[in-house]
Amino acid sequence: MSTQIIRPARSLQGSLAVPGDKSISHRYAMLAGLAEGTSRLANFSTGADPHTTLSCMEALGAHVVNKADKTIEITGVAGAFRQPSAHLDCGNSGSTMRMLSGLIASHAHTFNLVGDASLTLRPMERIRLPLSKMGAKIDLTDGHAPVTIHGSPLRAIDFTTPIPSAQVKTAILFAGLQAEGTTTLSESIRTRDHTEHALRAFGATLTHSREKLFIPGGQKLYAIDATIPGDISSAAFFLAAALLFPDSNLVLDSIGMNPTRVALLDVIAALGGKIKILTVQEHHGELIGTIQINRSPASSSSAPLLINGTLTAQLIDELPVLAAIAPYTAGGLILRDAQELRVKESDRIALIAKNLSAMGAHFTENSDGLEIPGNQTLHGATIDSGSDHRIAMAFSIAALRATGDTEILGAEAAAISFPEFFRSLDSLALR
């Protein structure tokens, strides 16, 4: 386990291009692996998780080439995955395990999906239920990985997701793409729509009507050339950091501006950020923009910011850093309906609480969230990342305005999504 010392800063200045979006990289890699032809994916995520997905695609018969310019070339299997010679190792990636299960369930092989200790604790019944209704034969171990899939023909279903989960939605749509009939999917709370854009980019027909998605089965996919936007969840750490200092000035280049993700910008503004969108363009249905962020000279509201319901689901990956900086904001933060954080790579609510306490913050922990007052002063401390990348990075940001140095235990976890994080933070922090 490696450690990282974070010293307090006095400002953040400069420009940054964050790694390619992790969510989009996963989906493009999977669909390129299934498609006919060779896809070229520029700005593919440098994080460990999407590269785990690439390894699984190779094991299933796709040909993957990592180019020196961070472009990934994937020659797909034209709709016919092969029997892998070993387990499909999903590492720490819940996205890989859950979405891949839907992609491979209709192929006439036996697939064994395994992961690390953290992934083995994460719930998998949420994908087994809908895929089983489609005719898939899936074995779990007490509702968790290892996952064994006995591939078989699938039939379409009409399904309503019981929890807001883009991974579950994706597993069903990937299975529906290859099923007999038209699969219908409803969500009570809308989740990020990268899968819908990705499927259309690869040539699939997918329609949306009255809050329902319809995907006909038996479709073929064809290779694409694409540039993956910068990951707004990675940018979130620097957007939050800019709130900590009155003279911060950051420019974040080529960031994904997908409408199901940019609620983050509204929250940053509500917490005192001044955001200027410098450019916007569209590529394969995804918006890509360049953002300038400062701290607004006008003070933000002294009332706590409430994040609940749909907003919680939209911000699920950004919540750790918002909670970590909440004590420094004028009004603080009330977070509710975030039970899903307890079954991520770690129990993120418990770890946020543990580390806020270590830094001297006052707060209340609830079963589904936290209440964190603003206008607090925190001190440096030893931070337990729990080997969770978002916790390690979130408290590195909180450490920038603490009094004294902060030690991040398990700092290497940042590489799961953002290997360049600490180097980027060092380049922007003025001390």
Side-chain angles (χ1 to χ4, degrees), residues 47-243:
D49 279 2
H51 285 264
T52 293
T53 290
L54 289 175
S55 295
C56 288
M57 299 320 297
E58 286 186 294
L60 290 165
H63 182 62
V64 178
V65 178
N66 291 268
K67 309 291 281 189
D69 63 356
K70 295 184 181 177
T71 296
I72 303 293
E73 292 186 352
I74 304 173
T75 302
V77 299
F81 288 131
R82 74 182 181 197
Q83 172 70 55
S85 60
H87 296 326
L88 295 171
D89 188 351
C90 301
N92 185 251
S93 178
S95 294
T96 304
M97 183 169 282
R98 291 182 179 132
M99 297 192 298
L100 187 59
S101 294
L103 194 72
I104 63 179
S106 66
H107 294 255
H109 307 297
T110 298
F111 306 96
N112 295 297
L113 287 72
V114 299
D116 67 10
S118 169
L119 182 53
T120 302
L121 296 174
R122 298 178 68 181
M124 294 297 154
E125 179 64 27
R126 57 184 59 179
I127 57 160
R128 192 200 66 79
L129 175 62
L131 294 179
S132 294
K133 287 180 180 291
M134 300 179 81
K137 299 177 178 63
I138 299 177
D139 301 325
L140 303 178
T141 304
D142 296 327
H144 302 86
V147 179
T148 300
I149 299 174
H150 308 278
S152 59
L154 303 181
R155 58 184 176 272
I157 57 169
D158 184 346
F159 190 78
T160 299
T161 55
I163 56 170
S165 170
Q167 294 174 1
V168 173
K169 174 175 71 174
T170 302
I172 297 167
L173 292 177
F174 282 180
L177 177 76
Q178 304 166 82
E180 180 182 347
T182 297
T183 293
T184 305
L185 181 75
S186 304
E187 293 184 289
S188 56
I189 295 177
R190 188 185 182 199
T191 60
R192 58 185 64 174
D193 61 2
H194 298 306
T195 300
E196 293 94 309
H197 290 306
L199 283 163
R200 293 186 182 109
F202 281 87
T205 297
L206 177 76
T207 56
H208 185 272
S209 175
R210 295 183 180 179
E211 307 307 315
K212 285 191 173 187
L213 285 167
F214 301 87
I215 185 163
Q219 300 192 61
K220 293 183 178 181
L221 303 180
Y222 299 94
I224 63 170
D225 287 356
T227 298
I228 295 171
D231 195 324
I232 195 169
S233 294
S234 294
F237 298 102
F238 296 95
L239 292 168
L243 300 180

Side-chain angles (χ1 to χ4, degrees), residues 223-363:
I224 63 170
D225 287 356
T227 298
I228 295 171
D231 195 324
I232 195 169
S233 294
S234 294
F237 298 102
F238 296 95
L239 292 168
L243 300 180
L244 301 179
F245 307 102
D247 60 345
S248 290
N249 185 23
L250 297 180
V251 174
L252 301 173
D253 296 319
S254 301
I255 301 300
M257 301 283 288
N258 183 296
T260 61
R261 302 280 294 279
V262 295
L264 170 67
L265 300 184
D266 294 332
V267 169
I268 292 292
L271 291 172
K274 180 182 178 183
I275 294 171
K276 185 176 182 181
I277 298 173
L278 304 180
T279 64
V280 178
Q281 59 182 314
E282 184 268 337
H283 193 64
H284 286 307
E286 296 285 356
L287 298 179
I288 305 175
T290 294
I291 304 169
Q292 183 180 28
I293 171 76
N294 313 94
R295 194 167 89 176
S296 175
S299 61
S300 57
S301 171
S302 59
L305 177 67
L306 173 63
I307 297 178
N308 65 349
T310 299
L311 187 57
T312 298
Q314 291 175 335
L315 294 174
I316 197 70
D317 287 338
E318 294 78 43
L319 293 174
V321 72
L322 295 174
I325 67 157
Y328 299 124
T329 63
L333 180 70
I334 297 174
L335 172 60
R336 293 182 179 145
D337 304 319
Q339 301 95 324
E340 185 69 8
L341 286 180
R342 293 202 180 271
V343 292
K344 293 299 241 178
E345 284 86 332
S346 65
D347 181 339
R348 285 181 173 162
I349 292 176
L351 275 177
I352 290 168
K354 178 180 180 179
N355 291 316
L356 284 175
S357 182
M359 297 183 79
H362 301 288
F363 62 91

